[in-house]
Amino acid sequence: GLRGTSLPGAVRADEAIHEREVGGLSWPGNKEENLKRSITFIVLIAALALVAAGCSSDDVGGDDFKIAIIAPSASNDRAFTQSIVDAADKLLEDGVVGEVAVTDATFVVEDAAVAIRDYATQGYNLVVAHGSQYGGSLQEIAPDFPEISFAWGTAADTFDLPNVFSYEAASDQGGIVMGKMAAALSQSANVGIVGPIEVGDAKLYVDGFEAGVKSQNASATVNINYIDSFSDVALASEAAKSLIGQGADVLSGTAQMTIGAINTAKTENVLWFGTQSNQTEVAPEIVVASQVYHWEHMLEDMIKQVGEGTLGGELYKITFANEGLVIEYNEDFDLPDDVKKIGDDAIKEFEDE
């Protein structure tokens, strides 16, 4: 069961003062290779474990709690979708939930809406629409299922609905941290960023990365190439080539299309900083570090809220301070100590806020 008091920073959405901030330990996620799957994990000793732990009757979670995730790209995209799937899989592994169902690659909003409604009809306890493009659909569907809890992000709007949570990532924080390190590593004082569409956590990250570079080296050149797509891998690859052609020897980018940019960086032996999920395995030779979204703490708090009868109406934001954001360094990359200190010092400033 889940125990403990509500975490600091919790507010009702209609108070519109602060976002909920959730903390906890960070764990690596599991990597799922299939695109469509529904996994059921039965915790055979759940009842005995609850008794042994002395859990109270209002504790929730365990094998009776079911989470559904609808996401725009592949579960193993090394980016936005994988970040939420890894988090849910961690809760499944730990017995916090009994089932995780994933419908991924639903970039078409109408397809996602069908899946959202279907999971709600099946009685899933928490239906997570993991994409800012799903907000309109959720606003229409959630009122039809007042006993089901919904969540969506990245966004800061619950539509004043009592059964909708929303969540965002302070991705600019990791952008600043890694931008500083990128500037320190760049031999040409030229850094490039591949962006998708200029919205949400993507824009936050790109802006943060640029600010980080400039704060470390005010004379550095930062070129940004938005490709107007979250999913066009080939276009991301071309954008990376263009940035390298303009003199960049360190690159970064955000969204699932960055796989194309990372592979180009690998071919050209240009350093890469990743975000959303750990991208080291894509190109361990050139990935320096990744800002990883650890949504599991937030999801666990939502489960607790649902068990206490609060099905929505609250806002969440993951940050360094609540360990929802974590910089995961590539252990095989020979990062100079002084550059790592620049990153670690910047992280500490955010943690102390």
Side-chain angles (χ1 to χ4, degrees):
L2 303 176
R3 304 183 66 83
T5 58
S6 295
L7 294 161
V11 297
R12 297 295 303 173
D14 52 16
E15 292 174 355
I17 301 172
H18 302 97
E19 295 85 359
R20 169 178 289 276
E21 296 190 353
V22 294
L25 300 176
S26 301
W27 307 278
N30 295 327
K31 307 294 186 294
E32 295 293 345
E33 299 300 329
N34 54 318
L35 294 182
K36 306 280 184 184
R37 89 267 194 267
S38 176
I39 304 174
T40 304
F41 178 71
I42 305 300
V43 186
L44 296 176
I45 60 169
L48 289 176
L50 288 173
V51 173
C55 291
S56 62
S57 60
D58 62 352
D59 284 334
V60 296
D63 60 328
D64 290 333
F65 200 96
K66 302 191 299 181
I67 293 181
I69 295 170
I70 302 89
S73 50
S75 296
N76 59 344
D77 69 352
R78 303 290 184 187
F80 187 66
T81 293
Q82 184 165 337
S83 69
I84 195 75
V85 173
D86 282 353
D89 283 345
K90 177 59 185 173
L91 298 186
L92 182 67
E93 177 185 328
D94 289 351
V96 176
V97 299
E99 181 180 336
V100 174
V102 176
T103 298
D104 58 4
T106 51
F107 190 78
V108 177
V109 171
E110 291 78 10
D111 294 342
V114 170
I116 292 168
R117 186 173 291 276
D118 186 46
Y119 283 127
T121 301
Q122 293 179 50
Y124 278 76
N125 304 96
L126 177 62
V127 179
V128 181
H130 191 59
S132 56
Q133 63 266 53
Y134 301 149
S137 301
L138 206 61
Q139 191 172 8
E140 293 179 4
I141 295 169
D144 294 341
F145 299 92
E147 301 304 313
I148 302 296
S149 177
F150 298 86
W152 78 297
T154 53
D157 189 357
T158 66
F159 313 116
D160 293 323
L161 294 173
N163 61 332
V164 174
F165 295 110
S166 71
Y167 57 88
E168 3 172 48
S171 54
D172 54 320
Q173 294 186 357
I176 290 170
V177 170
M178 295 193 296
K180 285 176 175 288
M181 290 191 287
L185 288 171
S186 177
Q187 299 298 306
S188 62
N190 189 316
V191 175
I193 311 171
V194 181
I197 299 173
E198 207 168 343
V199 295
D201 71 308
K203 176 173 169 50
L204 275 177
Y205 176 75
V206 172
D207 290 350
F209 199 92
E210 180 182 23
V213 172
K214 290 292 190 179
S215 70
Q216 185 66 28
N217 182 357
S219 63
T221 297
V222 181
N223 289 313
I224 301 169
N225 193 334
Y226 278 102
I227 66 170
D228 293 324
S229 172
F230 287 99
S231 58
D232 195 328
V233 173
L235 199 55
S237 177
E238 290 301 316
K241 288 178 183 176
S242 175
L243 292 167
I244 293 168
Q246 295 173 61
D249 61 355
V250 183
L251 294 179
S252 188
T254 179
Q256 58 267 29
M257 54 71 183
T258 54
I259 293 296
I262 297 170
N263 286 328
T264 295
K266 178 180 177 180
T267 301
E268 300 294 331
N269 197 32
V270 167
L271 299 181
W272 179 266
F273 285 87
T275 188
Q276 298 180 328
S277 185
N278 191 319
Q279 296 173 345
T280 295
E281 290 183 18
V282 181
E285 306 91 335
I286 54 100
V287 175
V288 180
S290 302
Q291 170 179 240
V292 180
Y293 294 174
H294 281 273
W295 301 111
E296 57 266 34
H297 321 308
M298 173 196 78
L299 290 175
E300 191 161 2
D301 194 72
M302 286 181 184
I303 292 167
K304 178 176 181 290
Q305 296 295 314
V306 171
E308 294 173 351
T310 300
L311 302 185
E314 297 186 3
L315 315 175
Y316 291 78
K317 179 182 285 187
I318 57 172
T319 67
F320 281 114
N322 60 40
E323 297 182 347
L325 299 179
V326 178
I327 298 295
E328 297 183 3
Y329 292 98
N330 175 6
E331 294 180 0
D332 293 328
F333 183 83
D334 189 17
L335 183 64
D337 289 343
D338 60 330
V339 177
K340 187 172 187 297
K341 185 176 187 304
I342 290 171
D344 289 342
D345 287 349
I347 292 169
K348 189 174 190 307
E349 286 188 24
F350 284 117
E351 289 176 341
D352 292 343
E353 285 183 353

